[in-house]
Amino acid sequence: MGSQNYDHHHEYEACVLENGGNIKGILTKEISMKHGRTAHNMSSSSLRMKSDIILVSKVHYGIIRNLLDNFQEVILGTKLSILFPAIPFAILAQCYGFARPWVFALSLLGLIPLAERVSFLTEQITYYTGPTVGGLLNATCGNATELIIAIFALSNNKIAVVKYSLLGSILSNLLLVLGTSLLCGGIANIRAEQKYDRRQSDMNLLMLLMAFLCHLLPMLFQYGGASMAFDADSSLQFSRAASIVMVIAYFAYLIFQLWTHRQLFEAQDEDDEENDSEEAVIGFGSGFAWLVIMTVFIAILSEYVVDTIEDASDSWGLSVSFLSIIMLPIVGNAAEHAGAIIFAFKNKLDITLGVALGSATQIGMFVVPLCVIVSWILGIKMDLNFHLLETGSLAMAIITTGFTLQDGTSHYLKGLILLLLYIVIGACFFVQRTPSDHADIANIMLHSATDANFRA
Amino acid sequence: MASRQITQEQQPWLLENGDPKRLTKEARHGHGRSRTAHGMSATSLRKKSDHALVSRVRCASLRNVLVNIQEVILGTKLSILFPAIPAAIIAHYLGLGESWVFILSLLGLTPLAERVSFLTEQIAVYTGPTVGGLLNATCGNITEVIIAIFALQSNQIAVVKYSLLGSILSNLLLVLGTSLLCGGIANIGDEQKYDRRQADMNSLMLLLALLCHLLPLLFTYTAASPELTAEPSLYLSRAASIVMLGAYFVYLIFQLWTHRQLFEAEEEGEGEGENNSAEEEAVIGFWSAFAWLAGMTVFIALLSEYVVDTIQDASDSWGLSVSFLSIILLPIVGNAAEHAGAIIFAFKNKLDITLGVALGSATQIAMFAVPLCVLVAWIMGVKMDLNFNLLETGSLALAIIVTGFTLQDGTSHYMKGLVLLLCYLVIGACFFVQRTPLNPNDVPNNITLKSFTDSVLSA
């Protein structure tokens, strides 16, 4: 087996280890930066592990062996695969009518490895399509889990859950993922200088500030106008227009990132380690098929999550806003989170920043406006008004992250402060005991107030 | 005597209290002993005391006592304000106008605040740099904390909030603004540089504090009625205060141990060579410093109590709102010593020390004094939260963000200082024209709520 040898490797370069059945395919993902891959998918490779093909090679039939090989690559190729059993459990629990909070918790657990595997499959397909199409694919599918959850919540008309989960994902990327990474990286490299290229983070922050403006204006509409009903309509129209602008801005950002200013987003080359070119571990067709299967499972589990979130909220005594702002994004970002921390430990802050900020930008500028447009098509009135507390948290998160990343260096206190910001925001939503839709309450209040006025 | 006069004119900031063997505080930096910029600036107001008079006294022990008193009482240029203390006490007992007691107490607090930081420094000489740094970090704004605690005791939560907020604003905008303005005009031809990493760190801490103030404020707007959110907002404020104290604790570790080099101003390259060589000695003994510190604190407490008791009357008789008095006047008094020091170092183009004073003091109040007050209020059973109301939180947010942007590029010029100062003037004008009663959040909300519920009930 040579397992001791492998273990040795495991300890020293746990982050470099790749899945790959044939020995020739075992390469570091980091090299592939030259092929125009974004930092985002690089980080998720840190959770992969080398699968053992010795078991499989005992099988005689060629086709079956290939199938098993393929299966092993996809299912067992990650350290998170211990969470895969949660998927059938969640389905069983749902079919046999277990307690709803259990379905919710199991579905959340099952979504973690699926999110990681989707980014792995996207990468695999990238090898066949070339770097530019691959970059595009990554830019659109990088947060597929969040997008699918959001669309299911939309189709159930749970607009608050959509807004909260997307907002929470931005907050979690900006504060939790970045904060823990800078904190751990700062403690691990306390004497070393921790530098990064601030132009990439500046670009991301600019995009986020624009997203923030697009959330702020519809909210201010509510306070500036004369009557609530009139404002709701104009706010909705404005939100749709702003969403189109945001999607256009995201396209320009993709062109900037993948063609014209690619050098800003590519981390520096590693001078060490192996320099061969990378090969795909599975075929294009099988990669595509797996992607479809994974997406179906994500969809099923997302539906369970969306259906059961209110029951879970009731039985655990936590508000829906806390569950969707804090819990859902932690699940969706688990793979990126681990990757970002590992690269911070290695003092490669460019990749860490690329993961955390890139993911936040993608959600803020692509997933959110896409949801607004999709809901427009579905005939649902979703606007960009995230309400006061949420928009305030978003503003503070963006501004603080912007100040943190101004000087091109990092140390542990910066990470700690970002993390504490996240804790304070989390505490705020934890103590909040309002129903999931404040807007309704405000409307009711306003109605009763105007009624009272009329009668008086 | 003549030569001494000349040095005094040329380098007033170098002059120390004590006999000629005593040395400048700045020289210590060159020796790698870590003193925060905060403590350094206070020395700028000190003056050398003359021992000629005292040395005539024969009896040795009596002479020592007199020297000690002279060091402590007369060791500062602000000592002309000391007579205000007995005057305030007399005015209080003779029942003079309340507004006179208020103003005399304020005047009396100014030299006391400076002396406390002097005594803290003296103790730091005995305890070593790290304990001294800790002492400075906790006692640096003791006046503000004592005023705040007295205001808490008499349940004037608005005064607590306003005075602490005003202290942050005054440090960020007034102290920093005048320093950069004066420094910019004095060194108009020179490049005025500083290490921006220290300023970044302080801005970041202040942004965390801002978030902790912002969320309880926004909280009250989310729900239908303020009463619904009062309880969770209080819980949130207490949790946030604990988080802030934790952050301040780590910031101290960062500042005093792991990243000490960021916070130490660069050595002086030129001049003062003759002063740099020897070590510093304490001017007074450890126990006498300790006794003085206790005595000073008692007087600060006494005057703070007067201030808190009379602020309402002073507000009434002068026609100024309490919010103006506590946001603008109280912090100017509490920060006078730091203010003068920051300006003098800016004149010398030592902006690192200026920034250390102004931002360090603001961070200390925002991340230590404010959460401490919330926790003390919790222990005393007073319901103080971090909700500073809209106008105040908005001013705070703008002050922090403007200061953060000002300090982005590592250089300074007079225009930056002027803009900060003008921001302070505008904020001051805003609170000057504001005519709300003492507890602005209770009154309008309650009244509107009551009328609202009345109308609902009658309907």
Side-chain angles (χ1 to χ4, degrees):
Chain A
M1 283 283 268
S3 63
Q4 269 164 342
N5 204 2
Y6 275 142
D7 279 352
H8 198 68
H9 260 277
H10 238 285
E11 278 173 24
Y12 279 93
E13 305 183 295
C15 32
V16 188
L17 288 180
E18 257 315 300
N19 41 5
N22 48 357
I23 305 294
K24 277 178 76 182
I26 303 172
L27 290 168
T28 64
K29 291 284 177 190
E30 286 176 64
I31 305 159
S32 61
M33 282 306 257
K34 290 169 194 152
H35 301 293
R37 291 170 63 229
T38 57
H40 190 180
N41 55 16
M42 279 183 59
S43 82
S44 52
S45 63
S46 53
L47 280 176
R48 313 249 159 89
M49 59 183 186
K50 188 178 298 196
S51 49
D52 195 356
I53 28 158
I54 291 173
L55 269 172
V56 176
S57 56
K58 285 188 196 146
V59 180
H60 282 279
Y61 292 105
I63 303 167
I64 297 179
R65 192 168 63 217
N66 279 344
L67 265 180
L68 280 177
D69 216 12
N70 192 307
F71 196 75
Q72 193 180 14
E73 287 304 339
V74 177
I75 298 294
L76 299 178
T78 168
K79 288 169 194 159
L80 293 173
S81 57
I82 43 163
L83 292 176
F84 268 118
I87 302 173
F89 277 131
I91 297 173
L92 284 176
Q94 167 78 10
C95 295
Y96 287 97
F98 268 46
R100 309 278 272 167
W102 278 102
V103 179
F104 180 74
L106 286 171
S107 307
L108 277 189
L109 285 180
L111 279 173
I112 297 176
L114 284 176
E116 197 274 334
R117 286 290 88 184
V118 164
S119 75
F120 161 70
L121 290 167
T122 321
E123 259 170 56
Q124 293 294 319
I125 293 175
T126 307
Y127 296 129
Y128 297 98
T129 56
T132 310
V133 179
L136 276 176
L137 207 65
N138 252 309
T140 47
C141 297
N143 284 297
T145 323
E146 280 91 345
L147 186 62
I148 294 173
I149 293 181
I151 286 175
F152 268 98
L154 262 188
S155 62
N156 284 5
N157 214 354
K158 291 183 177 166
I159 297 175
V161 174
V162 180
K163 287 181 178 174
Y164 282 139
S165 72
L166 294 179
L167 177 82
S169 200
I170 300 176
L171 290 180
S172 137
N173 274 309
L174 283 183
L175 300 179
L176 181 66
V177 173
L178 197 60
T180 40
S181 304
L182 293 185
L183 178 62
C184 295
I187 290 172
N189 308 294
I190 199 158
R191 289 278 158 252
E193 220 177 355
Q194 299 167 68
K195 288 198 166 178
Y196 51 84
D197 184 3
R198 50 169 285 194
R199 289 174 301 171
Q200 182 196 352
S201 58
D202 279 356
M203 198 51 236
N204 277 309
L205 283 163
L206 214 52
M207 297 290 284
L208 285 170
L209 278 174
M210 185 189 156
F212 168 59
L213 180 83
C214 293
H215 292 303
L216 186 67
L217 288 182
M219 192 193 80
L220 294 182
F221 252 69
Q222 190 187 329
Y223 292 95
S227 88
M228 196 73 88
F230 176 72
D231 284 337
D233 199 38
S234 54
S235 158
L236 191 64
Q237 282 165 356
F238 172 78
S239 298
R240 286 168 180 172
S243 300
I244 294 169
V245 172
M246 280 158 92
V247 171
I248 292 170
Y250 189 69
F251 270 113
Y253 170 79
L254 284 186
I255 292 170
F256 183 83
Q257 186 180 19
L258 296 175
W259 283 285
T260 61
H261 286 68
R262 185 184 279 180
Q263 72 281 359
L264 286 190
F265 291 86
E266 279 169 11
Q268 317 93 308
D269 279 16
E270 337 278 283
D271 26 0
D272 46 337
E273 294 165 63
E274 312 94 301
N275 274 333
D276 313 56
S277 70
E278 181 145 7
E279 283 172 33
V281 252
I282 55 173
F284 179 74
S286 87
F288 204 78
W290 273 113
L291 195 59
V292 171
I293 296 171
M294 293 282 179
T295 313
V296 168
F297 273 106
I298 289 181
I300 294 172
L301 292 185
S302 301
E303 203 182 347
Y304 291 170
V305 166
V306 170
D307 282 345
T308 54
I309 188 164
E310 270 142 21
D311 299 308
S313 153
D314 289 344
S315 73
W316 294 341
L318 297 169
S319 63
V320 172
S321 61
F322 180 77
L323 284 183
S324 15
I325 287 191
I326 307 295
M327 299 287 282
L328 283 186
I330 288 181
V331 168
N333 290 328
E336 290 130 345
H337 198 161
I341 292 176
I342 286 167
F343 280 103
F345 263 115
K346 292 180 72 185
N347 205 356
K348 291 189 178 139
L349 288 184
D350 277 314
I351 303 175
T352 300
L353 288 180
V355 174
L357 295 179
S359 188
T361 307
Q362 195 177 94
I363 292 173
M365 294 296 284
F366 180 70
V367 179
V368 173
L370 195 69
C371 284
V372 172
I373 293 171
V374 166
S375 70
W376 189 6
I377 295 167
L378 292 175
I380 296 167
K381 289 186 178 173
M382 176 185 169
D383 60 3
L384 288 174
N385 177 2
F386 276 23
H387 303 298
L388 199 58
L389 195 60
E390 293 79 4
T391 314
S393 310
L394 182 68
M396 284 304 298
I398 293 172
I399 291 172
T400 312
T401 315
F403 270 106
T404 312
L405 302 177
Q406 279 298 304
D407 66 347
T409 65
S410 166
H411 45 70
Y412 68 90
L413 192 53
K414 289 189 173 183
L416 182 77
I417 292 199
L418 291 182
L419 195 59
L420 290 180
L421 278 177
Y422 190 72
I423 290 175
V424 172
I425 292 177
C428 176
F429 288 107
F430 184 79
V431 297
Q432 199 191 19
R433 283 275 175 276
T434 49
S436 60
D437 216 343
H438 330 274
D440 289 347
I441 303 270
N443 279 337
I444 292 168
M445 289 282 298
L446 195 85
H447 278 296
S448 63
T450 44
D451 285 353
N453 279 342
F454 277 126
R455 270 176 226 176
Chain B
M1 212 55 197
S3 70
R4 209 181 260 182
Q5 279 296 324
I6 287 167
T7 45
Q8 202 150 15
E9 273 171 29
Q10 279 175 343
Q11 306 179 313
W13 51 87
L14 288 180
L15 291 178
E16 259 312 300
N17 41 5
D19 58 0
K21 278 179 77 181
R22 307 278 137 72
L23 291 165
T24 67
K25 297 282 176 187
E26 285 176 70
R28 294 185 58 187
H29 261 275
H31 299 295
R33 298 231 242 135
S34 82
R35 290 172 66 231
T36 55
H38 192 183
M40 282 181 57
S41 81
T43 62
S44 53
L45 280 175
R46 311 250 159 89
K47 60 178 186 185
K48 188 175 296 193
S49 49
D50 194 355
H51 282 230
L53 268 173
V54 177
S55 56
R56 287 199 206 129
V57 178
R58 289 287 162 82
C59 175
S61 59
L62 186 63
R63 192 168 64 215
N64 280 343
V65 170
L66 279 178
V67 168
N68 195 309
I69 290 175
Q70 192 180 16
E71 289 302 343
V72 176
I73 299 291
L74 299 177
T76 168
K77 287 169 195 161
L78 291 174
S79 56
I80 44 163
L81 292 176
F82 267 118
I85 303 173
I89 297 173
I90 292 167
H92 177 71
Y93 281 109
L94 293 186
L96 261 74
E98 297 280 345
S99 51
W100 279 102
V101 178
F102 180 73
I103 197 142
L104 285 172
S105 307
L106 275 190
L107 286 180
L109 279 174
T110 315
L112 283 176
E114 197 276 333
R115 286 290 88 183
V116 164
S117 76
F118 161 71
L119 290 168
T120 320
E121 258 169 55
Q122 292 294 319
I123 293 175
V125 174
Y126 293 99
T127 55
T130 310
V131 179
L134 277 177
L135 211 62
N136 249 312
T138 46
C139 296
N141 284 299
I142 191 103
T143 323
E144 283 89 345
V145 173
I146 292 176
I147 293 182
I149 287 176
F150 270 98
L152 265 186
Q153 260 181 357
S154 47
N155 216 355
Q156 300 194 6
I157 297 175
V159 174
V160 180
K161 287 179 178 173
Y162 282 139
S163 70
L164 293 177
L165 176 83
S167 199
I168 301 173
L169 290 179
S170 136
N171 274 309
L172 283 183
L173 299 179
L174 181 67
V175 173
L176 198 59
T178 41
S179 304
L180 293 185
L181 178 62
C182 295
I185 291 173
N187 308 292
I188 201 157
D190 296 339
E191 222 178 355
Q192 298 167 69
K193 288 195 166 178
Y194 51 85
D195 186 3
R196 50 168 291 193
R197 288 174 300 172
Q198 183 195 353
D200 278 357
M201 205 50 244
N202 279 306
S203 305
L204 212 55
M205 296 292 283
L206 287 171
L207 281 170
L208 174 60
L210 174 62
L211 180 89
C212 293
H213 292 303
L214 190 65
L215 288 182
L217 170 75
L218 295 182
F219 221 79
T220 53
Y221 290 96
T222 54
S225 79
E227 278 169 353
L228 250 170
T229 54
E231 196 76 349
S233 165
L234 196 63
Y235 293 145
L236 174 64
S237 299
R238 286 166 182 174
S241 300
I242 293 169
V243 168
M244 281 157 89
L245 283 180
Y248 188 70
F249 184 69
V250 178
Y251 170 78
L252 286 185
I253 292 175
F254 184 83
Q255 187 180 19
L256 297 175
W257 283 284
T258 63
H259 285 69
R260 187 184 279 184
Q261 72 281 359
L262 286 190
F263 290 85
E264 278 171 11
E266 322 97 291
E267 276 176 49
E268 342 275 284
E270 82 294 352
E272 300 115 27
E274 72 273 17
N275 289 331
N276 273 339
S277 44
E279 281 282 309
E280 177 146 11
E281 283 170 35
V283 216
I284 54 172
F286 179 71
W287 289 111
S288 93
F290 207 78
W292 273 111
L293 195 58
M296 293 280 180
T297 313
V298 169
F299 274 104
I300 290 180
L302 191 68
L303 293 184
S304 301
E305 203 181 347
Y306 291 168
V307 166
V308 170
D309 285 346
T310 54
I311 190 166
Q312 185 67 59
D313 299 305
S315 152
D316 291 343
S317 72
W318 295 340
L320 296 169
S321 64
V322 172
S323 64
F324 180 78
L325 288 182
S326 15
I327 286 191
I328 307 296
L329 275 186
L330 281 187
I332 288 181
V333 169
N335 290 328
E338 290 129 345
H339 198 161
I343 292 177
I344 286 168
F345 281 104
F347 263 115
K348 289 184 71 186
N349 205 355
K350 291 188 175 136
L351 289 184
D352 276 315
I353 302 176
T354 301
L355 289 180
V357 174
L359 296 178
S361 189
T363 307
Q364 193 179 94
I365 291 172
M367 297 295 285
F368 178 72
V370 174
L372 193 70
C373 284
V374 173
L375 293 187
V376 167
W378 190 5
I379 293 168
M380 287 162 51
V382 178
K383 287 185 178 174
M384 177 185 170
D385 61 4
L386 288 174
N387 177 2
F388 276 24
N389 299 329
L390 195 58
L391 195 59
E392 291 80 2
T393 314
S395 310
L396 182 68
L398 267 170
I400 292 172
I401 290 171
V402 168
T403 313
F405 272 108
T406 308
L407 302 177
Q408 280 297 305
D409 65 348
T411 65
S412 166
H413 44 70
Y414 70 91
M415 196 59 207
K416 288 189 173 182
L418 185 69
V419 171
L420 290 182
L421 195 58
L422 292 180
C423 283
Y424 190 71
L425 287 184
V426 172
I427 291 177
C430 172
F431 288 108
F432 185 77
V433 297
Q434 198 193 21
R435 284 273 176 277
T436 50
L438 182 61
N439 226 340
N441 62 332
D442 283 355
V443 179
N445 283 344
N446 279 344
I447 289 171
T448 48
L449 195 85
K450 263 178 206 159
S451 65
F452 176 74
T453 44
D454 284 353
S455 66
V456 167
L457 284 178
S458 67

